[in-house]
Amino acid sequence: MLDLSRQYELIKDDVLEAMGRVCESQQLILGPEVEALESEITAFTGAKEAVACASGTDALWLALVAAGVRAGDEVITTPFSFFASANSIVRAGAKPVFVDVDPETLNLDPAKVLARLQQKTGSSTSPTRARSSPSRSARNDRAGYKTAAANGKRHGADGGLRAILPVHLYGQCAAMDSLQQVAEEHGLVIIEDAAQAIGAKWRAQPAGSMGACAAFSFYPTKNLSAYGEAGMVTTRDPAMAAHMRRLRNHGSPERYLHTEFGWNARMDAIQAAVLRVKLKHITKWTRQRRERAATYDRLLGEAGLVAANSTAPLKLPATSEHAFHVFHQYVVRAERRDELRKFLSERGIGSEVYYPIPLHLQPVFAYLGYKEGDLPESERATKEVLALPMFPELTAEEQHHVVVGIAEFYG
């Protein structure tokens, strides 16, 4: 599925030099390396501020709390994501409200979000209003909820609903302009879960620059990966950034003074140094991922495994014309998915299921009262999705081997 040793061989000298620089400085937590990474991520994403932290999960929690989510609030999110998306909502004291995904992209469906809000409020707003103009995603600064959230003011009059947390799944941004319009009409704040989407764009606007804030993960398997755990939050609001810097350091604005309850969510300087080396290559690596995705598309099509007719055994999730997809994962929807995966494994071909259980059916969320059949698109996806090997150094021969294996299975 992933061979990080190939990447390491290409950047080994620079990585070791960066690590050595930190060891010589003995500034091991936060400090100049972390501050430099924050500045570089700010420039890369187009956000005004970036706050480094210890993991992508910490990044989600920091973003939610800084955006004004409090105990008793409700946050709309997708059930088709890694557990951290919803777990961070609970950690902030709020309640996840799961809304089903678009069956084509598998991202949170704006029309379904709007329908859920109408159900909650009794509103009769037409769902077509969620389909906004191309210019809407460029008008974020006029949304006054950002500064208000940073100042602790309450948002929304929808019976406890305070925020929407869309996940940019597999490296493709959710339909952010439509979600922004829904959020503005209902007084909600948007927090981007961009854990899989560094470098992705929606209508040319980078992930991390569209919501009140956005959370990134630098887990070792991500497109931009640390040599351990690390994360980042970006925001357009300096007040929110300052709040998150306190929260990541036990709620402390200065040593031994604690003005609120925070957490130890600081980034190690060695992780920052490694990430700074890798950030210089991320544009090239993204191009290579997109090239390999196009190669898979071509090979699967030539093998007759994907087609417009319903008899083809595979279906590809759609890439929106408005999205710049960075292919954190290359995913197919497969008939007899589990049998196919076993067949490939026996031939030394890696694959993975992201994700086998939708969040609303996880045992820990039983208290929310969801049952099987409530969110059918997400439930169907968990039975069909299969991620194929995807990383920048993947060779054309290896991709051909993968596709031949799939073709043999469906033979």
Side-chain angles (χ1 to χ4, degrees), residues 30 38 49-54 58-68 150 191 212-215 232-253 260-266:
L30 298 179
E38 289 175 336
E49 298 274 354
V51 179
C53 57
D58 281 336
L60 284 167
W61 173 75
L62 289 168
L64 285 159
V65 174
I191 298 130
C213 43
M232 186 76 68
V233 189
T234 56
T235 180
R236 290 172 173 262
D237 192 321
M240 291 181 71
H243 188 191
M244 288 185 280
R245 290 191 174 96
R246 295 193 301 272
L247 288 170
R248 75 178 175 186
N249 190 33
H250 296 288
S252 175
E260 60 185 315
F261 294 107
W263 198 251
N264 177 6
R266 301 176 296 241

mmCIF file of all heavy atoms in Angstrom, residues 30 38 49-54 58-68 150 191 212-215 232-253 260-266:
data_model
loop_
_atom_site.group_PDB
_atom_site.id
_atom_site.type_symbol
_atom_site.label_atom_id
_atom_site.label_comp_id
_atom_site.label_asym_id
_atom_site.label_seq_id
_atom_site.Cartn_x
_atom_site.Cartn_y
_atom_site.Cartn_z
ATOM 1 N N LEU A 30 8.275 23.005 20.374
ATOM 2 C CA LEU A 30 7.971 24.342 19.842
ATOM 3 C C LEU A 30 9.283 25.013 19.420
ATOM 4 O O LEU A 30 10.163 24.358 18.894
ATOM 5 C CB LEU A 30 7.171 25.175 20.843
ATOM 6 C CG LEU A 30 5.787 24.608 21.214
ATOM 7 C CD1 LEU A 30 5.087 25.505 22.234
ATOM 8 C CD2 LEU A 30 4.904 24.423 19.989
ATOM 9 N N GLU A 38 5.105 26.830 10.793
ATOM 10 C CA GLU A 38 3.813 27.520 10.809
ATOM 11 C C GLU A 38 3.770 28.596 9.726
ATOM 12 O O GLU A 38 2.769 28.733 9.006
ATOM 13 C CB GLU A 38 3.566 28.131 12.191
ATOM 14 C CG GLU A 38 3.285 27.102 13.278
ATOM 15 C CD GLU A 38 3.172 27.715 14.661
ATOM 16 O OE1 GLU A 38 3.739 28.810 14.882
ATOM 17 O OE2 GLU A 38 2.532 27.097 15.541
ATOM 18 N N GLU A 49 -3.026 32.419 9.507
ATOM 19 C CA GLU A 49 -2.328 31.912 10.678
ATOM 20 C C GLU A 49 -2.280 30.396 10.609
ATOM 21 O O GLU A 49 -3.178 29.751 10.053
ATOM 22 C CB GLU A 49 -3.051 32.325 11.969
ATOM 23 C CG GLU A 49 -3.145 33.822 12.197
ATOM 24 C CD GLU A 49 -1.932 34.394 12.895
ATOM 25 O OE1 GLU A 49 -1.053 33.610 13.313
ATOM 26 O OE2 GLU A 49 -1.862 35.631 13.042
ATOM 27 N N ALA A 50 -1.235 29.816 11.212
ATOM 28 C CA ALA A 50 -1.142 28.374 11.374
ATOM 29 C C ALA A 50 -0.619 28.072 12.772
ATOM 30 O O ALA A 50 0.286 28.752 13.260
ATOM 31 C CB ALA A 50 -0.222 27.760 10.321
ATOM 32 N N VAL A 51 -1.214 27.057 13.395
ATOM 33 C CA VAL A 51 -0.859 26.692 14.765
ATOM 34 C C VAL A 51 -0.477 25.219 14.773
ATOM 35 O O VAL A 51 -1.319 24.343 14.542
ATOM 36 C CB VAL A 51 -2.030 26.945 15.730
ATOM 37 C CG1 VAL A 51 -1.643 26.534 17.157
ATOM 38 C CG2 VAL A 51 -2.451 28.409 15.695
ATOM 39 N N ALA A 52 0.795 24.943 15.026
ATOM 40 C CA ALA A 52 1.280 23.566 15.045
ATOM 41 C C ALA A 52 0.873 22.875 16.334
ATOM 42 O O ALA A 52 0.792 23.494 17.397
ATOM 43 C CB ALA A 52 2.801 23.558 14.905
ATOM 44 N N CYS A 53 0.633 21.564 16.220
ATOM 45 C CA CYS A 53 0.230 20.809 17.399
ATOM 46 C C CYS A 53 0.716 19.371 17.277
ATOM 47 O O CYS A 53 1.422 19.015 16.329
ATOM 48 C CB CYS A 53 -1.277 20.877 17.612
ATOM 49 S SG CYS A 53 -2.240 20.299 16.211
ATOM 50 N N ALA A 54 0.327 18.530 18.230
ATOM 51 C CA ALA A 54 0.934 17.213 18.376
ATOM 52 C C ALA A 54 0.341 16.140 17.476
ATOM 53 O O ALA A 54 0.968 15.094 17.283
ATOM 54 C CB ALA A 54 0.842 16.768 19.837
ATOM 55 N N ASP A 58 -5.534 16.302 17.752
ATOM 56 C CA ASP A 58 -5.418 17.534 18.546
ATOM 57 C C ASP A 58 -5.804 18.743 17.709
ATOM 58 O O ASP A 58 -6.428 19.689 18.211
ATOM 59 C CB ASP A 58 -3.984 17.705 19.060
ATOM 60 C CG ASP A 58 -3.688 16.847 20.273
ATOM 61 O OD1 ASP A 58 -4.641 16.472 20.993
ATOM 62 O OD2 ASP A 58 -2.506 16.552 20.513
ATOM 63 N N ALA A 59 -5.433 18.736 16.435
ATOM 64 C CA ALA A 59 -5.770 19.859 15.567
ATOM 65 C C ALA A 59 -7.286 20.030 15.470
ATOM 66 O O ALA A 59 -7.807 21.155 15.522
ATOM 67 C CB ALA A 59 -5.168 19.659 14.178
ATOM 68 N N LEU A 60 -8.015 18.937 15.317
ATOM 69 C CA LEU A 60 -9.478 19.015 15.261
ATOM 70 C C LEU A 60 -10.052 19.569 16.560
ATOM 71 O O LEU A 60 -10.947 20.420 16.546
ATOM 72 C CB LEU A 60 -10.059 17.628 14.977
ATOM 73 C CG LEU A 60 -9.953 17.135 13.544
ATOM 74 C CD1 LEU A 60 -10.256 15.647 13.470
ATOM 75 C CD2 LEU A 60 -10.924 17.914 12.641
ATOM 76 N N TRP A 61 -9.563 19.086 17.686
ATOM 77 C CA TRP A 61 -10.066 19.566 18.978
ATOM 78 C C TRP A 61 -9.769 21.056 19.158
ATOM 79 O O TRP A 61 -10.652 21.832 19.558
ATOM 80 C CB TRP A 61 -9.439 18.760 20.117
ATOM 81 C CG TRP A 61 -9.786 19.299 21.474
ATOM 82 C CD1 TRP A 61 -10.981 19.175 22.131
ATOM 83 C CD2 TRP A 61 -8.944 20.086 22.320
ATOM 84 N NE1 TRP A 61 -10.925 19.837 23.338
ATOM 85 C CE2 TRP A 61 -9.686 20.398 23.477
ATOM 86 C CE3 TRP A 61 -7.636 20.546 22.213
ATOM 87 C CZ2 TRP A 61 -9.148 21.158 24.525
ATOM 88 C CZ3 TRP A 61 -7.104 21.295 23.253
ATOM 89 C CH2 TRP A 61 -7.856 21.593 24.388
ATOM 90 N N LEU A 62 -8.552 21.472 18.859
ATOM 91 C CA LEU A 62 -8.198 22.890 18.974
ATOM 92 C C LEU A 62 -9.109 23.741 18.101
ATOM 93 O O LEU A 62 -9.600 24.796 18.527
ATOM 94 C CB LEU A 62 -6.741 23.104 18.562
ATOM 95 C CG LEU A 62 -5.653 22.588 19.500
ATOM 96 C CD1 LEU A 62 -4.303 22.625 18.812
ATOM 97 C CD2 LEU A 62 -5.623 23.402 20.799
ATOM 98 N N ALA A 63 -9.337 23.290 16.867
ATOM 99 C CA ALA A 63 -10.162 24.057 15.934
ATOM 100 C C ALA A 63 -11.594 24.183 16.443
ATOM 101 O O ALA A 63 -12.192 25.260 16.399
ATOM 102 C CB ALA A 63 -10.142 23.390 14.562
ATOM 103 N N LEU A 64 -12.163 23.100 16.932
ATOM 104 C CA LEU A 64 -13.545 23.119 17.420
ATOM 105 C C LEU A 64 -13.689 24.058 18.611
ATOM 106 O O LEU A 64 -14.613 24.892 18.661
ATOM 107 C CB LEU A 64 -13.972 21.703 17.805
ATOM 108 C CG LEU A 64 -14.269 20.756 16.636
ATOM 109 C CD1 LEU A 64 -14.160 19.309 17.083
ATOM 110 C CD2 LEU A 64 -15.660 21.035 16.062
ATOM 111 N N VAL A 65 -12.797 23.937 19.568
ATOM 112 C CA VAL A 65 -12.909 24.767 20.776
ATOM 113 C C VAL A 65 -12.678 26.236 20.445
ATOM 114 O O VAL A 65 -13.425 27.115 20.895
ATOM 115 C CB VAL A 65 -11.921 24.279 21.860
ATOM 116 C CG1 VAL A 65 -11.938 25.232 23.063
ATOM 117 C CG2 VAL A 65 -12.286 22.866 22.307
ATOM 118 N N ALA A 66 -11.668 26.528 19.639
ATOM 119 C CA ALA A 66 -11.395 27.915 19.281
ATOM 120 C C ALA A 66 -12.520 28.521 18.460
ATOM 121 O O ALA A 66 -12.754 29.732 18.505
ATOM 122 C CB ALA A 66 -10.079 28.020 18.527
ATOM 123 N N ALA A 67 -13.247 27.683 17.704
ATOM 124 C CA ALA A 67 -14.360 28.167 16.894
ATOM 125 C C ALA A 67 -15.637 28.352 17.696
ATOM 126 O O ALA A 67 -16.662 28.731 17.142
ATOM 127 C CB ALA A 67 -14.612 27.208 15.735
ATOM 128 N N GLY A 68 -15.589 28.092 18.990
ATOM 129 C CA GLY A 68 -16.722 28.375 19.847
ATOM 130 C C GLY A 68 -17.609 27.196 20.176
ATOM 131 O O GLY A 68 -18.665 27.379 20.782
ATOM 132 N N ALA A 150 -14.152 33.403 17.828
ATOM 133 C CA ALA A 150 -12.913 33.580 18.568
ATOM 134 C C ALA A 150 -13.144 34.336 19.863
ATOM 135 O O ALA A 150 -12.444 34.149 20.849
ATOM 136 C CB ALA A 150 -11.892 34.312 17.700
ATOM 137 N N ILE A 191 -15.756 24.150 10.125
ATOM 138 C CA ILE A 191 -14.403 23.711 10.451
ATOM 139 C C ILE A 191 -14.035 22.626 9.455
ATOM 140 O O ILE A 191 -14.720 21.604 9.368
ATOM 141 C CB ILE A 191 -14.310 23.176 11.887
ATOM 142 C CG1 ILE A 191 -14.653 24.283 12.895
ATOM 143 C CG2 ILE A 191 -12.931 22.620 12.174
ATOM 144 C CD1 ILE A 191 -15.656 23.894 13.908
ATOM 145 N N ALA A 212 -13.724 28.588 9.048
ATOM 146 C CA ALA A 212 -13.220 29.415 10.149
ATOM 147 C C ALA A 212 -11.830 28.942 10.539
ATOM 148 O O ALA A 212 -10.957 29.735 10.884
ATOM 149 C CB ALA A 212 -14.166 29.324 11.341
ATOM 150 N N CYS A 213 -11.629 27.635 10.487
ATOM 151 C CA CYS A 213 -10.314 27.050 10.675
ATOM 152 C C CYS A 213 -10.326 25.656 10.071
ATOM 153 O O CYS A 213 -11.382 25.131 9.700
ATOM 154 C CB CYS A 213 -9.903 27.023 12.154
ATOM 155 S SG CYS A 213 -11.200 26.522 13.271
ATOM 156 N N ALA A 214 -9.151 25.066 9.953
ATOM 157 C CA ALA A 214 -9.019 23.761 9.319
ATOM 158 C C ALA A 214 -7.944 22.961 10.030
ATOM 159 O O ALA A 214 -6.927 23.505 10.463
ATOM 160 C CB ALA A 214 -8.663 23.912 7.840
ATOM 161 N N ALA A 215 -8.175 21.653 10.129
ATOM 162 C CA ALA A 215 -7.247 20.754 10.812
ATOM 163 C C ALA A 215 -6.544 19.860 9.801
ATOM 164 O O ALA A 215 -7.185 19.239 8.955
ATOM 165 C CB ALA A 215 -7.998 19.903 11.826
ATOM 166 N N MET A 232 -1.627 20.346 12.468
ATOM 167 C CA MET A 232 -1.618 21.794 12.251
ATOM 168 C C MET A 232 -3.046 22.286 12.098
ATOM 169 O O MET A 232 -3.888 21.601 11.515
ATOM 170 C CB MET A 232 -0.824 22.128 10.989
ATOM 171 C CG MET A 232 -0.605 23.608 10.710
ATOM 172 S SD MET A 232 0.673 24.360 11.752
ATOM 173 C CE MET A 232 2.168 23.564 11.134
ATOM 174 N N VAL A 233 -3.313 23.480 12.634
ATOM 175 C CA VAL A 233 -4.582 24.163 12.392
ATOM 176 C C VAL A 233 -4.288 25.457 11.665
ATOM 177 O O VAL A 233 -3.378 26.205 12.048
ATOM 178 C CB VAL A 233 -5.332 24.490 13.699
ATOM 179 C CG1 VAL A 233 -6.734 25.004 13.390
ATOM 180 C CG2 VAL A 233 -5.403 23.276 14.609
ATOM 181 N N THR A 234 -5.042 25.733 10.608
ATOM 182 C CA THR A 234 -4.942 27.017 9.922
ATOM 183 C C THR A 234 -6.222 27.803 10.152
ATOM 184 O O THR A 234 -7.296 27.237 10.354
ATOM 185 C CB THR A 234 -4.727 26.833 8.414
ATOM 186 O OG1 THR A 234 -5.781 26.025 7.875
ATOM 187 C CG2 THR A 234 -3.392 26.171 8.139
ATOM 188 N N THR A 235 -6.104 29.121 10.118
ATOM 189 C CA THR A 235 -7.259 29.985 10.309
ATOM 190 C C THR A 235 -6.992 31.341 9.678
ATOM 191 O O THR A 235 -5.831 31.730 9.476
ATOM 192 C CB THR A 235 -7.595 30.158 11.799
ATOM 193 O OG1 THR A 235 -8.732 31.015 11.945
ATOM 194 C CG2 THR A 235 -6.433 30.753 12.573
ATOM 195 N N ARG A 236 -8.067 32.068 9.389
ATOM 196 C CA ARG A 236 -7.952 33.443 8.907
ATOM 197 C C ARG A 236 -8.031 34.453 10.048
ATOM 198 O O ARG A 236 -7.921 35.647 9.805
ATOM 199 C CB ARG A 236 -9.071 33.730 7.900
ATOM 200 C CG ARG A 236 -8.910 32.993 6.567
ATOM 201 C CD ARG A 236 -10.137 33.164 5.696
ATOM 202 N NE ARG A 236 -9.908 32.596 4.370
ATOM 203 C CZ ARG A 236 -9.556 33.293 3.307
ATOM 204 N NH1 ARG A 236 -9.395 34.602 3.404
ATOM 205 N NH2 ARG A 236 -9.358 32.713 2.143
ATOM 206 N N ASP A 237 -8.240 33.977 11.267
ATOM 207 C CA ASP A 237 -8.518 34.871 12.391
ATOM 208 C C ASP A 237 -7.373 34.846 13.408
ATOM 209 O O ASP A 237 -7.155 33.837 14.083
ATOM 210 C CB ASP A 237 -9.824 34.438 13.065
ATOM 211 C CG ASP A 237 -10.339 35.465 14.051
ATOM 212 O OD1 ASP A 237 -9.520 36.058 14.763
ATOM 213 O OD2 ASP A 237 -11.559 35.666 14.099
ATOM 214 N N PRO A 238 -6.605 35.920 13.554
ATOM 215 C CA PRO A 238 -5.501 35.947 14.517
ATOM 216 C C PRO A 238 -5.943 35.683 15.945
ATOM 217 O O PRO A 238 -5.198 35.074 16.728
ATOM 218 C CB PRO A 238 -4.928 37.364 14.366
ATOM 219 C CG PRO A 238 -5.313 37.787 12.983
ATOM 220 C CD PRO A 238 -6.657 37.170 12.741
ATOM 221 N N ALA A 239 -7.145 36.114 16.309
ATOM 222 C CA ALA A 239 -7.625 35.882 17.669
ATOM 223 C C ALA A 239 -7.837 34.392 17.924
ATOM 224 O O ALA A 239 -7.540 33.874 19.006
ATOM 225 C CB ALA A 239 -8.920 36.653 17.912
ATOM 226 N N MET A 240 -8.366 33.687 16.921
ATOM 227 C CA MET A 240 -8.529 32.251 17.061
ATOM 228 C C MET A 240 -7.177 31.557 17.167
ATOM 229 O O MET A 240 -7.004 30.612 17.946
ATOM 230 C CB MET A 240 -9.326 31.693 15.884
ATOM 231 C CG MET A 240 -10.777 32.102 15.883
ATOM 232 S SD MET A 240 -11.693 31.406 14.485
ATOM 233 C CE MET A 240 -11.760 29.694 14.960
ATOM 234 N N ALA A 241 -6.212 32.005 16.378
ATOM 235 C CA ALA A 241 -4.870 31.418 16.435
ATOM 236 C C ALA A 241 -4.252 31.607 17.821
ATOM 237 O O ALA A 241 -3.660 30.677 18.384
ATOM 238 C CB ALA A 241 -3.979 32.036 15.366
ATOM 239 N N ALA A 242 -4.388 32.802 18.375
ATOM 240 C CA ALA A 242 -3.846 33.055 19.710
ATOM 241 C C ALA A 242 -4.510 32.155 20.748
ATOM 242 O O ALA A 242 -3.851 31.645 21.659
ATOM 243 C CB ALA A 242 -4.039 34.529 20.074
ATOM 244 N N HIS A 243 -5.824 31.961 20.596
ATOM 245 C CA HIS A 243 -6.549 31.080 21.513
ATOM 246 C C HIS A 243 -6.030 29.653 21.412
ATOM 247 O O HIS A 243 -5.791 28.985 22.432
ATOM 248 C CB HIS A 243 -8.044 31.138 21.188
ATOM 249 C CG HIS A 243 -8.900 30.437 22.178
ATOM 250 N ND1 HIS A 243 -10.237 30.186 21.955
ATOM 251 C CD2 HIS A 243 -8.631 29.913 23.403
ATOM 252 C CE1 HIS A 243 -10.744 29.556 22.997
ATOM 253 N NE2 HIS A 243 -9.790 29.380 23.874
ATOM 254 N N MET A 244 -5.798 29.178 20.200
ATOM 255 C CA MET A 244 -5.316 27.808 20.033
ATOM 256 C C MET A 244 -3.899 27.635 20.576
ATOM 257 O O MET A 244 -3.560 26.562 21.092
ATOM 258 C CB MET A 244 -5.388 27.399 18.559
ATOM 259 C CG MET A 244 -6.819 27.168 18.096
ATOM 260 S SD MET A 244 -6.954 26.538 16.403
ATOM 261 C CE MET A 244 -6.742 28.032 15.450
ATOM 262 N N ARG A 245 -3.082 28.666 20.492
ATOM 263 C CA ARG A 245 -1.727 28.569 21.051
ATOM 264 C C ARG A 245 -1.785 28.449 22.574
ATOM 265 O O ARG A 245 -0.949 27.781 23.177
ATOM 266 C CB ARG A 245 -0.884 29.766 20.617
ATOM 267 C CG ARG A 245 -0.549 29.726 19.133
ATOM 268 C CD ARG A 245 0.507 30.739 18.725
ATOM 269 N NE ARG A 245 0.862 30.540 17.322
ATOM 270 C CZ ARG A 245 0.348 31.219 16.307
ATOM 271 N NH1 ARG A 245 -0.540 32.185 16.540
ATOM 272 N NH2 ARG A 245 0.704 30.950 15.070
ATOM 273 N N ARG A 246 -2.780 29.079 23.198
ATOM 274 C CA ARG A 246 -2.958 28.889 24.639
ATOM 275 C C ARG A 246 -3.471 27.479 24.928
ATOM 276 O O ARG A 246 -2.983 26.804 25.833
ATOM 277 C CB ARG A 246 -3.936 29.927 25.200
ATOM 278 C CG ARG A 246 -3.457 31.363 25.113
ATOM 279 C CD ARG A 246 -4.312 32.296 25.960
ATOM 280 N NE ARG A 246 -5.726 32.301 25.578
ATOM 281 C CZ ARG A 246 -6.250 33.105 24.652
ATOM 282 N NH1 ARG A 246 -5.455 33.948 23.979
ATOM 283 N NH2 ARG A 246 -7.540 33.077 24.381
ATOM 284 N N LEU A 247 -4.453 27.056 24.165
ATOM 285 C CA LEU A 247 -5.056 25.747 24.407
ATOM 286 C C LEU A 247 -4.042 24.615 24.262
ATOM 287 O O LEU A 247 -4.082 23.631 25.020
ATOM 288 C CB LEU A 247 -6.214 25.517 23.426
ATOM 289 C CG LEU A 247 -7.487 26.325 23.657
ATOM 290 C CD1 LEU A 247 -8.426 26.178 22.476
ATOM 291 C CD2 LEU A 247 -8.188 25.884 24.950
ATOM 292 N N ARG A 248 -3.120 24.717 23.291
ATOM 293 C CA ARG A 248 -2.154 23.632 23.072
ATOM 294 C C ARG A 248 -1.121 23.554 24.184
ATOM 295 O O ARG A 248 -0.366 22.589 24.287
ATOM 296 C CB ARG A 248 -1.448 23.792 21.724
ATOM 297 C CG ARG A 248 -0.402 24.880 21.698
ATOM 298 C CD ARG A 248 0.319 25.001 20.377
ATOM 299 N NE ARG A 248 1.232 26.131 20.387
ATOM 300 C CZ ARG A 248 1.919 26.556 19.346
ATOM 301 N NH1 ARG A 248 1.785 25.939 18.172
ATOM 302 N NH2 ARG A 248 2.743 27.590 19.434
ATOM 303 N N ASN A 249 -1.082 24.563 25.031
ATOM 304 C CA ASN A 249 -0.077 24.653 26.086
ATOM 305 C C ASN A 249 -0.756 24.765 27.449
ATOM 306 O O ASN A 249 -0.486 25.660 28.238
ATOM 307 C CB ASN A 249 0.848 25.852 25.836
ATOM 308 C CG ASN A 249 2.050 25.850 26.758
ATOM 309 O OD1 ASN A 249 2.561 24.798 27.128
ATOM 310 N ND2 ASN A 249 2.510 27.037 27.141
ATOM 311 N N HIS A 250 -1.688 23.846 27.698
ATOM 312 C CA HIS A 250 -2.384 23.782 28.983
ATOM 313 C C HIS A 250 -3.166 25.050 29.309
ATOM 314 O O HIS A 250 -3.328 25.410 30.478
ATOM 315 C CB HIS A 250 -1.395 23.501 30.124
ATOM 316 C CG HIS A 250 -0.725 22.166 30.025
ATOM 317 N ND1 HIS A 250 -1.377 20.974 30.274
ATOM 318 C CD2 HIS A 250 0.557 21.824 29.700
ATOM 319 C CE1 HIS A 250 -0.540 19.964 30.118
ATOM 320 N NE2 HIS A 250 0.639 20.454 29.754
ATOM 321 N N GLY A 251 -3.657 25.736 28.290
ATOM 322 C CA GLY A 251 -4.423 26.957 28.532
ATOM 323 C C GLY A 251 -3.600 28.074 29.138
ATOM 324 O O GLY A 251 -4.123 28.911 29.892
ATOM 325 N N SER A 252 -2.328 28.125 28.761
ATOM 326 C CA SER A 252 -1.396 29.049 29.410
ATOM 327 C C SER A 252 -0.891 30.110 28.434
ATOM 328 O O SER A 252 -0.204 29.789 27.460
ATOM 329 C CB SER A 252 -0.199 28.268 29.965
ATOM 330 O OG SER A 252 0.771 29.140 30.505
ATOM 331 N N PRO A 253 -1.182 31.381 28.683
ATOM 332 C CA PRO A 253 -0.628 32.451 27.847
ATOM 333 C C PRO A 253 0.816 32.787 28.204
ATOM 334 O O PRO A 253 1.552 33.356 27.386
ATOM 335 C CB PRO A 253 -1.545 33.636 28.132
ATOM 336 C CG PRO A 253 -2.029 33.403 29.528
ATOM 337 C CD PRO A 253 -2.129 31.900 29.683
ATOM 338 N N GLU A 260 -7.412 29.098 31.274
ATOM 339 C CA GLU A 260 -8.495 28.180 30.916
ATOM 340 C C GLU A 260 -7.925 26.769 30.899
ATOM 341 O O GLU A 260 -6.710 26.568 30.994
ATOM 342 C CB GLU A 260 -9.073 28.527 29.545
ATOM 343 C CG GLU A 260 -8.067 28.453 28.401
ATOM 344 C CD GLU A 260 -8.640 28.926 27.083
ATOM 345 O OE1 GLU A 260 -9.772 28.525 26.755
ATOM 346 O OE2 GLU A 260 -7.953 29.700 26.391
ATOM 347 N N PHE A 261 -8.804 25.769 30.785
ATOM 348 C CA PHE A 261 -8.346 24.392 30.691
ATOM 349 C C PHE A 261 -7.965 24.081 29.252
ATOM 350 O O PHE A 261 -8.784 24.203 28.345
ATOM 351 C CB PHE A 261 -9.432 23.425 31.173
ATOM 352 C CG PHE A 261 -9.725 23.551 32.643
ATOM 353 C CD1 PHE A 261 -10.893 24.148 33.081
ATOM 354 C CD2 PHE A 261 -8.818 23.079 33.578
ATOM 355 C CE1 PHE A 261 -11.160 24.270 34.423
ATOM 356 C CE2 PHE A 261 -9.079 23.204 34.935
ATOM 357 C CZ PHE A 261 -10.252 23.799 35.364
ATOM 358 N N GLY A 262 -6.714 23.696 29.069
ATOM 359 C CA GLY A 262 -6.240 23.330 27.745
ATOM 360 C C GLY A 262 -5.752 21.907 27.720
ATOM 361 O O GLY A 262 -6.324 21.016 28.354
ATOM 362 N N TRP A 263 -4.668 21.680 26.987
ATOM 363 C CA TRP A 263 -4.122 20.332 26.837
ATOM 364 C C TRP A 263 -2.666 20.454 26.446
ATOM 365 O O TRP A 263 -2.224 21.510 25.997
ATOM 366 C CB TRP A 263 -4.891 19.579 25.746
ATOM 367 C CG TRP A 263 -4.712 18.087 25.793
ATOM 368 C CD1 TRP A 263 -4.012 17.314 24.910
ATOM 369 C CD2 TRP A 263 -5.243 17.199 26.775
ATOM 370 N NE1 TRP A 263 -4.083 15.989 25.265
ATOM 371 C CE2 TRP A 263 -4.840 15.893 26.419
ATOM 372 C CE3 TRP A 263 -6.034 17.380 27.923
ATOM 373 C CZ2 TRP A 263 -5.181 14.774 27.176
ATOM 374 C CZ3 TRP A 263 -6.382 16.261 28.673
ATOM 375 C CH2 TRP A 263 -5.958 14.976 28.296
ATOM 376 N N ASN A 264 -1.912 19.381 26.633
ATOM 377 C CA ASN A 264 -0.552 19.340 26.122
ATOM 378 C C ASN A 264 -0.627 18.855 24.685
ATOM 379 O O ASN A 264 -0.685 17.656 24.416
ATOM 380 C CB ASN A 264 0.319 18.419 26.967
ATOM 381 C CG ASN A 264 1.732 18.303 26.418
ATOM 382 O OD1 ASN A 264 2.095 18.993 25.462
ATOM 383 N ND2 ASN A 264 2.530 17.440 27.002
ATOM 384 N N ALA A 265 -0.636 19.787 23.757
ATOM 385 C CA ALA A 265 -0.766 19.457 22.332
ATOM 386 C C ALA A 265 0.331 20.132 21.524
ATOM 387 O O ALA A 265 0.129 20.527 20.390
ATOM 388 C CB ALA A 265 -2.142 19.879 21.829
ATOM 389 N N ARG A 266 1.512 20.242 22.118
ATOM 390 C CA ARG A 266 2.611 20.950 21.454
ATOM 391 C C ARG A 266 3.315 20.049 20.445
ATOM 392 O O ARG A 266 3.404 18.837 20.622
ATOM 393 C CB ARG A 266 3.613 21.444 22.503
ATOM 394 C CG ARG A 266 3.008 22.389 23.536
ATOM 395 C CD ARG A 266 4.028 22.763 24.600
ATOM 396 N NE ARG A 266 4.474 21.641 25.378
ATOM 397 C CZ ARG A 266 4.317 21.519 26.712
ATOM 398 N NH1 ARG A 266 3.674 22.458 27.388
ATOM 399 N NH2 ARG A 266 4.773 20.470 27.340
#
